[in-house]
Amino acid sequence: LSPSLGLSFEDVPNGLAAISKVPGQGWSQIVAFAGYYELFVYKYNGTPGDYGWKAITSSDPETLNKKLSAEIANGRLAMMAIIGMFFQDGLTGSAWGDWALYTDSPLRSTGK
């Protein structure tokens, strides 16, 4: 991951704990790449959802509305899923963990 800092992929934990392990220069590279791509590569022509891909755009207004509505719904679902994974990772330390192993959860029923 960073030979100059002696950081390998094995040193990076899963989940949110990985954020603190990425060096500042790594975050700078991520931001620089995303900025370059947004400014110079991925051209936006002002029409929402029209990026020149026929999978997303259509000349038929009804088909276009259906595809854009599906894209919005899928985006919202993805946002809810990742927030749920962040929440689970914050509680258990693993986004893929087994809830049965986390007995200190304030959400767990006491069974009383």
Side-chain angles (χ1 to χ4, degrees):
L1 187 63
S2 178
S4 63
L5 296 176
L7 185 63
S8 66
F9 283 104
E10 291 80 22
D11 299 330
V12 180
N14 290 329
L16 297 174
I19 292 173
S20 65
K21 298 295 182 183
V22 177
Q25 292 172 339
W27 285 115
S28 298
Q29 287 176 344
I30 293 169
V31 169
F33 174 76
Y36 169 79
Y37 198 81
E38 284 287 328
L39 292 173
F40 301 111
V41 177
Y42 210 52
K43 297 297 182 184
Y44 177 67
N45 66 2
T47 306
D50 184 10
Y51 294 106
W53 300 352
K54 291 301 174 192
I56 296 177
T57 61
S58 175
S59 57
D60 178 31
E62 185 176 325
T63 302
L64 178 62
N65 187 38
K66 182 179 175 183
K67 288 182 178 183
L68 290 176
S69 294
E71 184 68 21
I72 289 170
N74 289 336
R76 289 176 178 160
L77 178 62
M79 286 187 281
M80 292 302 296
I82 195 67
I83 292 300
M85 290 178 70
F86 287 159
F87 185 77
Q88 181 175 346
D89 185 61
L91 284 177
T92 67
S94 174
W96 306 104
D98 183 0
W99 278 98
L101 300 176
Y102 186 65
T103 57
D104 295 333
S105 174
L107 303 175
R108 183 178 294 279
S109 172
T110 59
K112 293 179 184 176

